[in-house]
Amino acid sequence: VTARRPTLDRALAEALIVVCVGSGGVGKTTTAAVIGLEAARRGRRVVVVTIDPAKRLADALGLTDGLSSVPARIALGDTTGELWATMLDTNAAFDAIVRRYAASEQQAERILANRFYRNIAGALSGTQEYMAAETLYDLHDDDRFDLVVVDTPPSRHALDFLEAPGVLVRFLDHRVFKLLMLPARSGLKVMNVAAQPILKAIGRVVGSDVLADAVAFFQSFAGMEGGFRDRAREVMTLLTSEQTRFVLVASPRHDTITEAVWFAQELTARRHEVNAAIVNRTQPRFGAITVDEALAGAASAAVAGHPDLAALWTNIAELRELADREDEVLAPLVEQLDGAPLVAVPLLGSDVHDLGGLAEIGRHLFSE
Amino acid sequence: VNPLQLTSASRVTIVAGKGGVGKTTVTAALARAAADAGQRVLAVELDGKPALAEVVPDVTVRTISAPASLDEYLRTHGFARIAKRLSTTGVIDVVSTAAPGIDDIVVLGKIKQLERSGEWDVIVVDGPAAGHAITFLTSASGMLDAVRGGPLRTQASDVVELLRDPQRAQVVLVTIPETTPVNEAIETAYALEDRVGVHLGPIVVNGVDPGIDVDLPDPATVKVPRGAVGAALRAAARYRIQRRVMQRAEIARLADDLAVAQVRLPMLATARLTADDIARLAAHLGGGA
């Protein structure tokens, strides 16, 4: 007896942005690609953004040169929609913003050449998240695409990108930032600023040359905060819109389900709706045979002198035992979802190597 | 492979692997095995999710967090007066930004301090995810390049010294027998040896089908009941055979590409690992794979 199985159909209808959220190693990037592929098959012009180079995904999509920060179109044969793929390049995205808001080319060059800038562009906590939000906004704005599917950084900080624009604004308002900006406003020299007690203390910890670079960076930043602030507000508005959908991705392990429940609670607390959850790599079930029935089958086959048949019964008992334990693991997530669909993708016999493999997963996520 | 080799080869064992491969499970099993062998064991967790204490109840577990370590570092290095002000004003963020990797270095510095204390025979660290493991472990050598002097440089060079001494530190990688995790383990192993110069201990292959070395009968040749039950028996057998073939191939490929000892841990049918499960896995390590 099969009830109508849960799918992503409704979660994706009329979506403009789909955000895949989950901990590392749960197949988030692959899931994003599968969603993109299926949406393209349904006529959408989709771009999938990955957070890392995802080489295996690039191979599966037939991109021999790998993913880059410039969207590449995937050959899909006769499909009305389009599928494009790109990856987030934090440094390139940050450089682009600096160029956009700089008052002059000289100001932009000064910032881009600064050693401290080169460090923060990749390393400032929240930079990657902020740039993910930025890139998302750009692609959403791009006329070539009508759906953006994005994967999020594989960490507990994955949701930071929802707040990253706000964090950046707060950082610009921070008094240390203002202190560092001071020379630009009052005509003080870098060295005089570095002589401020608190900065002097920082300099003693990190080294004075590092500090001098930092002060120089913030000085060259002067005048750009306004543009940053406005943009951050636009990005926040987009992320809270009705047509931005959130899909949780997990694997059937106690720790990743705990994370998924945590993500769901955090999203709800930020007034985002969790539209669906996908659990990858679940144990497949074969027929409706219970563990006890299978063990009884194995025992009677053994007694009847059919060891091979007994081995097949034992096998099904073992697989069913794994599947049953998994249901216990998934229970807290089912409860947290409060009626939103939970779609299970069974473990495949082999890895995903091509578009056909992605489409096979797609058959588990969507109705025919 | 003897479990004691796994841990006593080096005082500090950093367990690393892609998310979801069972890093914490392996950390716990290693700690359990070493404790059972009578060693004084410290298990270390790096992020805020306490998971170890529950599964190795009688082993000392410590959480080392970056902000707390940085604060402690500042206090013990003549910055006591400003330490509080630095953390309350958020200036710590600016410090970490100005010197990327500082978080990782103070954490590794704390581990080094514990190693030097002589209180522990074995320290097992539930390390960061594979991708971050490289950044984490290269933070110290990166700092040596970036900073010319000062207390942080001293700290960084102490950490580099620890990591490059096979008597004092090793990395144990954890993977599962599937294509992508095996690829990542191989890449991480090479990156760690080339870029960190850290000793690579045995690699742990987790989630292995307990019956991997047994062949199921060919389902096509078995006389099964008619109908749905027979079809299910055959489909289940075909699936299991396919999984075992894949696992064997991946285990063999890992052995070909990576010249380190392999330890296999079986997949357990359990909703949530308990202290008993960890004891079983630890015993399994002891039994030799």
Side-chain angles (χ1 to χ4, degrees):
Chain A
V1 188
T2 47
R4 189 135 49 94
R5 68 180 174 87
T7 67
L8 288 186
D9 294 355
R10 267 195 53 198
L12 261 60
E14 286 152 44
L16 295 181
I17 291 179
V18 176
V19 183
C20 299
V21 179
S23 36
V26 297
K28 216 167 10 166
T29 309
T30 304
T31 299
V34 171
I35 291 174
L37 178 63
E38 180 59 26
R41 282 170 192 276
R42 295 176 181 206
R44 305 288 299 268
R45 287 175 287 118
V46 192
V47 61
V48 175
V49 197
T50 69
I51 291 298
D52 51 40
K55 201 182 159 301
R56 185 176 55 110
L57 176 67
D59 291 345
L61 292 173
L63 296 173
T64 44
D65 294 335
L67 290 159
S68 85
S69 56
V70 180
R73 187 165 172 187
I74 313 301
L76 290 186
D78 52 346
T79 305
T80 48
E82 294 174 13
L83 179 62
W84 300 66
T86 183
M87 81 176 221
L88 172 69
D89 182 336
T90 306
N91 291 336
F94 210 148
D95 289 358
I97 292 180
V98 167
R99 286 185 201 285
R100 184 182 315 136
Y101 295 121
S104 65
E105 200 168 309
Q106 286 86 334
Q107 187 190 22
E109 291 309 321
R110 207 161 51 235
I111 294 174
L112 297 179
N114 182 284
R115 195 170 63 161
F116 178 76
Y117 169 76
R118 299 274 29 127
N119 283 341
I120 78 161
L124 176 60
S125 57
T127 312
Q128 192 186 42
E129 288 76 14
Y130 179 68
M131 292 308 142
E134 267 290 327
T135 305
L136 190 64
Y137 188 89
D138 269 349
L139 293 170
H140 168 71
D141 230 18
D142 192 321
D143 287 339
R144 285 176 294 175
F145 316 120
D146 61 22
L147 174 65
V148 186
V149 183
V150 66
D151 134 28
T152 51
S155 71
R156 198 118 194 171
H157 308 297
L159 297 181
D160 287 358
F161 91 100
L162 296 172
E163 304 220 313
V167 169
L168 195 81
V169 168
R170 279 202 293 283
F171 184 66
L172 294 174
D173 288 336
H174 197 284
R175 69 188 187 84
V176 172
F177 182 78
K178 290 202 190 304
L179 186 63
L180 289 164
M181 295 283 286
L182 199 65
R185 296 200 178 113
S186 59
L188 279 177
K189 292 249 171 6
V190 170
M191 288 326 292
N192 295 343
V193 176
Q196 299 260 355
I198 189 124
L199 295 182
K200 218 166 136 189
I202 297 174
R204 276 171 58 210
V205 180
V206 300
S208 54
D209 44 341
V210 175
L211 183 68
D213 280 339
V215 174
F217 166 74
F218 285 109
Q219 279 195 304
S220 26
F221 219 76
M224 284 175 52
E225 314 104 276
F228 259 89
R229 237 183 269 276
D230 295 345
R231 177 70 164 207
R233 214 162 286 131
E234 288 166 1
V235 173
M236 303 250 268
T237 308
L238 174 65
L239 287 174
T240 47
S241 110
E242 270 287 292
Q243 282 161 312
T244 298
R245 306 287 162 79
F246 290 87
V247 174
L248 291 174
V249 187
S251 65
R253 291 173 44 100
H254 175 71
D255 50 351
T256 67
I257 293 297
T258 305
E259 289 269 286
V261 168
W262 181 85
F263 279 129
Q265 288 163 346
E266 289 289 306
L267 283 167
T268 312
R270 292 165 206 221
R271 291 195 209 102
H272 297 287
E273 191 188 341
V274 176
N275 302 89
I278 296 168
V279 181
N280 284 320
R281 309 169 49 79
T282 57
Q283 289 293 334
R285 284 165 193 262
F286 300 92
I289 305 162
T290 66
V291 173
D292 287 344
E293 286 165 359
L295 289 175
S300 56
V303 168
H306 302 299
D308 280 2
L309 181 58
L312 297 198
W313 278 112
T314 306
N315 176 51
I316 227 165
E318 288 171 0
L319 293 176
R320 181 60 192 234
E321 177 74 26
L322 288 170
D324 288 350
R325 291 290 81 77
E326 247 178 39
D327 281 351
E328 290 173 37
V329 175
L330 298 187
L333 181 59
V334 173
E335 192 181 328
Q336 178 68 38
L337 282 172
D338 194 25
L342 181 142
V343 187
V345 180
L347 201 53
L348 302 172
S350 61
D351 241 348
V352 174
H353 299 293
D354 51 22
L355 285 172
L358 292 174
E360 191 185 337
I361 299 176
R363 283 191 279 279
H364 295 281
L365 295 186
F366 298 90
S367 62
E368 290 305 315
Chain B
V1 174
N2 183 311
L4 299 186
Q5 277 175 7
L6 267 178
T7 47
S8 71
S10 314
R11 238 166 299 169
V12 177
T13 294
I14 297 166
V15 182
K18 185 180 159 72
V21 296
K23 215 160 28 78
T24 304
T25 306
V26 170
T27 306
L30 286 173
R32 169 86 280 137
D36 289 348
Q39 311 236 36
R40 294 170 302 160
V41 184
L42 175 68
V44 172
E45 297 179 297
L46 293 187
D47 52 18
K49 282 181 297 166
L52 286 170
E54 196 185 325
V55 288
V56 280
D58 55 336
V59 169
T60 309
V61 178
R62 238 189 110 140
T63 300
I64 299 184
S65 79
S69 304
L70 185 54
D71 191 63
E72 185 186 328
Y73 172 83
L74 291 171
R75 281 174 202 286
T76 53
H77 284 79
F79 300 101
R81 270 185 33 229
I82 62 160
K84 185 156 188 277
R85 206 170 141 213
L86 283 175
S87 36
T88 53
T89 53
V91 177
I92 287 287
D93 284 347
V94 178
V95 173
S96 333
T97 306
I102 188 172
D103 283 4
D104 295 338
I105 287 168
V106 292
V107 166
L108 284 163
K110 182 71 204 169
I111 293 170
K112 180 217 71 185
Q113 192 195 344
L114 292 164
E115 183 250 359
R116 276 300 180 217
S117 75
E119 256 183 89
W120 312 104
D121 300 318
V122 167
I123 299 175
V124 193
V125 183
D126 188 358
H132 184 209
I134 298 163
T135 351
F136 178 65
L137 295 169
T138 49
S139 60
S141 46
M143 180 68 73
L144 286 183
D145 292 340
V147 180
R148 277 170 233 142
L152 260 188
R153 189 186 163 89
T154 315
Q155 180 90 328
S157 86
D158 286 354
V159 166
V160 168
E161 208 174 286
L162 166 74
L163 293 177
R164 294 204 176 142
D165 185 347
Q167 300 297 317
R168 295 172 64 200
Q170 69 173 350
V171 170
V172 164
L173 285 174
V174 184
T175 189
I176 52 174
E178 289 180 34
T179 314
T180 312
V182 164
N183 287 345
E184 291 198 1
I186 294 167
E187 281 165 27
T188 307
Y190 282 110
L192 287 175
E193 290 210 312
D194 294 350
R195 291 168 51 194
V196 185
V198 66
H199 175 71
L200 213 53
I203 188 160
V204 177
V205 185
N206 194 23
V208 177
D209 185 330
I212 187 160
D213 297 319
V214 185
D215 282 319
L216 275 176
D218 178 355
T221 64
V222 180
K223 198 161 173 294
V224 295
R226 272 180 222 215
V229 168
L233 284 169
R234 286 207 165 117
R238 278 195 296 272
Y239 165 80
R240 190 82 180 267
I241 289 168
Q242 200 182 359
R243 295 287 307 171
R244 283 182 185 170
V245 166
M246 186 196 72
Q247 289 205 344
R248 274 185 217 142
E250 293 303 332
I251 287 170
R253 188 165 66 90
L254 183 64
D256 284 349
D257 287 3
L258 218 54
V260 295
Q262 272 185 17
V263 182
R264 294 182 203 169
L265 289 181
M267 176 155 87
L268 299 180
T270 168
R272 183 176 187 165
L273 286 172
T274 61
D276 288 347
D277 294 324
I278 295 300
R280 271 169 68 199
L281 290 176
H284 194 89
L285 286 174

